[in-house]
Amino acid sequence: MSLINKLPASLPGQTRAAAGVPGKVDADKRTVEVVFATETPVRRKRYEGWDKIVDFDEILTISRAAIDLGRLNAGAPVLDSHTRYSTSSIVAVVEKAWIDGKDARALLRFPTLGIDDNADRLFALISDGIVRNVSVGYTLEKIKIIEPKKDGEVQQVIANRWAPFEISFVAVPADPASGVRSEDGAQLFTLKAE
């Protein structure tokens, strides 16, 4: 059984972290290309009642029809770890965002060297391959719910319409298929399921 829900605009923003690898860094232009979202399921938890925790998998649909890139393409902020309560946590700006197959990508530009010590530090760590993890802040506008069919499965919540409003570099990722990209756009390593 599946349900389609249209969500109210007043829901709080969500975040989703994703791991990647450094590589597509332009030191002269101080830009970094990232994949900020894929359709990789991310395990979430929610409360039912006061004390029951229910697992579900959230899947962000990656398509031009599903993602409203308006805020990103208007120069959305790039943050340090989703900290959005001060302009001092802004380390870069989104220059452009686009869909490439099943990847949601963005080109991020850092400020001129010497303007911001935090941005300089983060850009250096990304360039050196130390910081590899990207996350996206977004709102959900329309979802489809697919109930589990057998024991051991969990409910799937598929975001059929969603709107990213910031990109962050984070320490711990959720989506292993996203992050900073190599020169040819591919990841430099792969994760193996155990």
Side-chain angles (χ1 to χ4, degrees), residues 51 64 68 84 168 173 184 192 194:
D51 58 356
R64 286 178 183 86
D68 177 358
R84 53 185 168 161
S168 286
D184 64 1
K192 296 179 181 172
E194 294 183 27

Side-chain angles (χ1 to χ4, degrees), residues 7 15 43 51 53 59 70 78-79 93 98 113 129 132 138 141 165 182 186:
L7 300 173
T15 62
R43 184 62 48 99
D51 58 356
I53 298 174
I59 300 166
V78 178
L79 305 176
V93 65
W98 67 97
L113 182 64
R132 303 171 179 216
Y138 57 95
E141 296 173 3
F165 56 82
S182 69

